[in-house]
Structure formats: C-alpha cells, structure tokens
C-alpha cells in the first residue's frame, strides 16, 4: 500500500494520519467483501500466522485467527503452560522456534508492557524476516483494539466513507479505569491523531491528572510526532460535566481486581457516579452511541439495558469490525497477492 512503512505494529503513537487512512480504507473493503466460509481471499496464501498469547483473550485471539483464515493464511497457536517455557526456554528462543517452522507473523499478547517491542527488536537484530503484531501488552498498548474502535466510530459518523476525516472535531468521552487501560492509551493516540477531542472521565485514583498531557509529546524512543495537529485531551471528574456535547461515549471495563487496592470505596458508589445508563446518556444529544471494548461488567460500568439496546450500543459492531481491521493489518504486514477491485456498496 502506498506510504505504508511499518514492519511491525506495536502501538499507534507511531501512526500518521495516512497510516490510519490506509487501515480504515482496507478494513472497509474487507467488510464489504463476502469472504466468509469457502469464499476466502487468496491474499495471504502460503503465509503462516502464529499467535503467542501469554494472557487470556476471548475476542482478540479468535478474531485474529478468523481474519488470517479469511485471507487464506495458515494459523498456529501457542499455549504457554504446555510449552518449553516452563523448562526455562527464553521468549526469544521460543519465538525463533516458530519462525524456523515458517511463521511470517507473530501475534503477541503479554501481561508486561514492552514485550512485543523487545521481541520485534531482538528478532530484527537476529535478521529474522518475521512481523510482530501486538495483541495487547500490559498497560501500554492494544493497537488492533484502538483501530477497531476508530473504524467503528468512523463508520458510525460516515457509513459510506469512514476515514480519519470522519473523526475531525468530534468530542469523544472515555469514562472508566483509564489508568489501567491499554485500550484507552491506544484510543488516545488514534482518536487525537484523526483530529478528535477526547474527554477522559474518572475519579483521581483511576485517572491521574497527568493524562491531560498524554499525547503532548512523542513517546520515549520516538523523535517526532508523526501527526502534525492532534485533537485535545481534557480530564474531567464528573460525568454530568463530560457528557453534554459528546458525539460518542466509550466506557472501559472496571478492573475489579483493583478493588483490593482500595482504589474505589465500593462498586455501588462507582456505578452511581460513573456508570452509564439511558438516563445518564440523556445528557448527550439524541442517538449518541456507546462503546465498550469488552469484557463487560454488566451493571457496573454500564447498565445491562443500555448494553443490549441496538439503537445506542455499538458493542456488537465493535466485535464485528475487529475481523476486517485485523485482516487489514495482516494484509499490510504480509500480503502475497493483490486484492480484487473495491466494491461500491458497503
Ligand atoms: N479486552 C481488553 C484488553 O485486553 C479490555 C479489558 O480487558 O478490559 O485490554
């Protein structure tokens, strides 16, 4: 694809507006192609995608595997507990073993931030031609989730031409456990990169004030910001202040495991102050949609009736869009065959 220069996809801080446009355009083409079942595309024929998941996953792993199969790639999965890692083999040697078996793309999820980066750097140093795609690392990054959220919003605002311009000047509210969310961090780079203003909303224990400067400087290791003019980020403590004027609201999973650290006084209080419901959403305009990356705690960060309301909830749409977005990423990193010409109908 013209202008695409990424050998690996590890975060969205290094994406330019053109990179976002390339991914969204391809995803839109994949969404409009009938590629299920026997009608696979030959684009990744002869390629092997290996998923190395060191952390549990429902949506991300299955949708990467489905995306690879729809592009005719072979798929191989690794289970850490049944592997030689327990005998002391290093992560790099494990990855090189899969490369020796023919892996062209490694999709890596790890509970520690930076693991996909280190692996990509070490594999490059060893001269391996494999691409590394992060499927979520610690609190740092979840690029394919950030992109599928971007695609879902862009399709909501401009169903026929969902590009970065669909986000320009929009006000997107992200509410919940921002501090512990790699999804929020990836969304901050993606949304502001496409010109949206992001309002973050949570109590101080889940959202330190410094998040207001999150995209103000390029991240460590990056000399310059690839986006010339980003949207703004604002930190607001009350939903009543955050919601008026919102174009979309994204709520994050409240990580119940944090309760032991007493970051919240009670789930009940949290729901009363930060939980989304139809009544709360009335503070925004009519038809403003709600997103959630899943898994969901029903009745905590979002009321069950709102989650299940097809007129307001884009949660199932996010899951559906995960497949074409991951097809686009796999295609960009490893295609061996061109795509058929675009269809006009979405
Ligand atoms: N599924 C997302 C992730 O892996 C969100 C979450 O777990 O809360 O980060």
């Amino acid at each position: 694809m013209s202008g695409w220069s990424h050998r690996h996809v590890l975060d969205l801080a290094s994406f330019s507006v053109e990179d976002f446009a390339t991914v969204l355009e391809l995803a839109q083409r994949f969404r409009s192609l009938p590629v299920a079942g026997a009608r696979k595309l030959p684009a990744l024929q002869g390629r092997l995608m290996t998923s190395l998941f060191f952390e549990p996953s429902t949506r991300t792993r299955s949708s990467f595997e489905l995306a690879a199969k729809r592009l005719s790639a072979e798929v191989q999965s690794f289970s850490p507990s049944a592997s030689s890692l327990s005998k002391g083999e290093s992560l790099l040697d494990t990855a090189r073993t899969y490369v020796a078996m023919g892996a062209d793309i490694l999709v890596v999820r790890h509970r520690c931030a930076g693991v996909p980066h280190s692996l990509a750097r070490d594999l490059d140093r060893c001269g391996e031609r494999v691409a590394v795609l992060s499927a979520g690392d610690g609190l740092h990054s979840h690029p394919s989730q950030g992109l599928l959220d971007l695609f879902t919003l862009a399709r909501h605002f401009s169903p026929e031409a969902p590009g970065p311009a669909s986000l320009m000047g929009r006000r997107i509210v992200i509410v919940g456990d921002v501090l512990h969310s790699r999804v929020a961090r990836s969304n901050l780079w993606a949304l502001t990169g496409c010109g949206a203003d992001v309002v973050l909303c949570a109590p101080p224990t889940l959202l330190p004030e410094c998040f207001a400067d999150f995209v103000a400087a390029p991240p460590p290791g990056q000399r310059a910001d690839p986006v010339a003019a980003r949207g703004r980020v604002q930190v607001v403590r009350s939903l009543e202040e955050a919601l008026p004027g919102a174009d979309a609201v994204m709520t994050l999973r409240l990580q119940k495991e944090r309760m032991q650290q007493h970051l919240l006084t009670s789930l009940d209080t949290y729901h009363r102050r930060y939980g989304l419901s139809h009544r709360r959403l009335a503070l925004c305009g009519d038809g403003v949609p709600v997103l959630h990356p899943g898994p969901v705690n029903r009745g905590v960060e979002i009321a069950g009736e709102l989650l299940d309301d097809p007129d307001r909830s884009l949660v199932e749409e996010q899951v559906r869009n995960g497949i074409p977005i991951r097809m686009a990423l796999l295609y960009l990193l490893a295609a061996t065959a061109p795509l058929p010409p675009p269809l006009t109908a979405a």
Side-chain angles (χ1 to χ4, degrees):
M1 289 307 275
S2 66
W4 180 261
S5 61
H6 300 273
R7 277 241 318 113
H8 309 286
V9 173
L10 305 168
D11 58 47
L12 299 181
S14 58
F15 268 46
S16 63
V17 180
E18 293 71 33
D19 293 330
F20 289 119
T22 301
V23 175
L24 296 186
E25 193 191 313
L26 263 176
Q28 178 74 348
R29 281 178 72 179
F30 286 129
R31 239 205 95 122
S32 66
L33 289 168
V35 287
R39 291 164 302 191
K40 290 190 215 163
L41 291 170
L44 261 69
Q45 217 150 44
R47 297 296 208 201
L48 172 61
M49 183 196 87
T50 302
S51 43
L52 304 173
F53 275 59
F54 298 87
E55 232 194 12
S57 165
T58 304
R59 294 154 199 78
T60 307
R61 184 177 189 147
S62 327
S63 97
F64 262 118
E65 295 186 353
L66 208 50
K69 287 179 189 161
R70 289 190 178 173
L71 293 172
S72 306
E74 278 186 286
V75 173
Q76 188 181 36
S77 293
F78 154 88
S79 313
S81 56
S83 77
S84 291
L85 280 178
S86 54
K87 298 182 192 167
E89 187 172 55
S90 74
L91 182 59
L92 179 60
D93 285 338
T94 303
R96 290 189 78 184
T97 302
Y98 283 103
V99 177
M101 283 186 229
D104 297 289
I105 305 178
L106 297 176
V107 177
V108 182
R109 168 170 287 192
H110 202 280
R111 69 185 168 79
C112 296
V115 167
H117 274 83
S118 311
L119 201 54
R121 193 199 47 221
D122 288 353
L123 288 166
D124 282 346
R125 192 174 39 78
C126 299
E128 304 285 12
R129 285 298 306 161
V130 67
V132 178
L133 227 159
S134 169
D137 58 315
L139 309 184
H140 167 243
S141 174
H142 195 343
S144 62
Q145 179 74 45
L147 289 167
L148 77 87
D149 293 339
L150 188 71
F151 184 47
T152 303
L153 284 168
R155 278 179 57 88
H156 174 81
F157 296 129
S158 329
E160 299 304 324
S166 323
L167 272 301
M168 182 59 79
R170 305 279 181 185
R171 176 181 164 99
I172 312 295
V173 174
I174 301 182
V175 53
D177 189 355
V178 175
L179 177 60
H180 302 102
S181 174
R182 54 196 177 202
V183 174
R185 286 170 175 81
S186 284
N187 265 290
L188 276 167
W189 290 113
L191 294 169
T192 61
C194 295
D197 294 328
V198 179
V199 179
L200 299 173
C201 182
T205 47
L206 302 182
L207 173 60
E209 202 61 42
C210 59
F211 268 86
D213 297 323
F214 189 75
V215 296
Q222 216 168 281
R223 252 176 278 122
D225 191 335
V227 173
R230 288 192 179 274
R232 285 161 306 165
V233 180
Q234 200 190 337
V235 168
V236 165
R237 299 293 171 201
S238 98
L239 258 184
E240 285 61 33
E241 198 188 321
L243 291 180
D247 291 298
V249 186
M250 182 182 298
T251 174
L252 302 168
R253 179 170 73 93
L254 184 73
Q255 311 206 350
K256 282 187 180 164
E257 52 272 33
R258 316 281 171 211
M259 289 298 290
Q260 286 138 8
Q261 298 164 23
H262 297 160
L263 295 181
L264 297 168
T265 47
S266 82
L267 287 182
D268 204 43
T269 320
Y270 178 82
H271 181 67
R272 261 186 281 120
R273 292 203 57 202
Y274 295 100
L276 290 183
S277 60
H278 280 102
R279 191 180 53 79
R280 272 254 157 76
L281 223 55
L283 293 170
C284 318
D286 276 350
V288 168
V290 183
L291 294 89
H292 190 305
V296 177
N297 299 304
R298 276 176 184 266
V300 180
E301 62 263 7
I302 183 166
E305 312 83 70
L306 180 57
L307 183 69
D308 297 334
D309 178 353
D311 294 329
R312 301 310 286 268
S313 166
L314 291 178
V315 175
E316 281 184 16
E317 189 65 4
Q318 286 172 275
V319 175
R320 269 192 292 277
N321 287 336
I323 300 167
I325 277 292
R326 291 176 175 121
M327 288 170 80
L329 292 174
L330 296 173
Y331 180 85
L332 287 164
L333 293 180
T336 51
L339 291 177
L343 300 180
T344 38

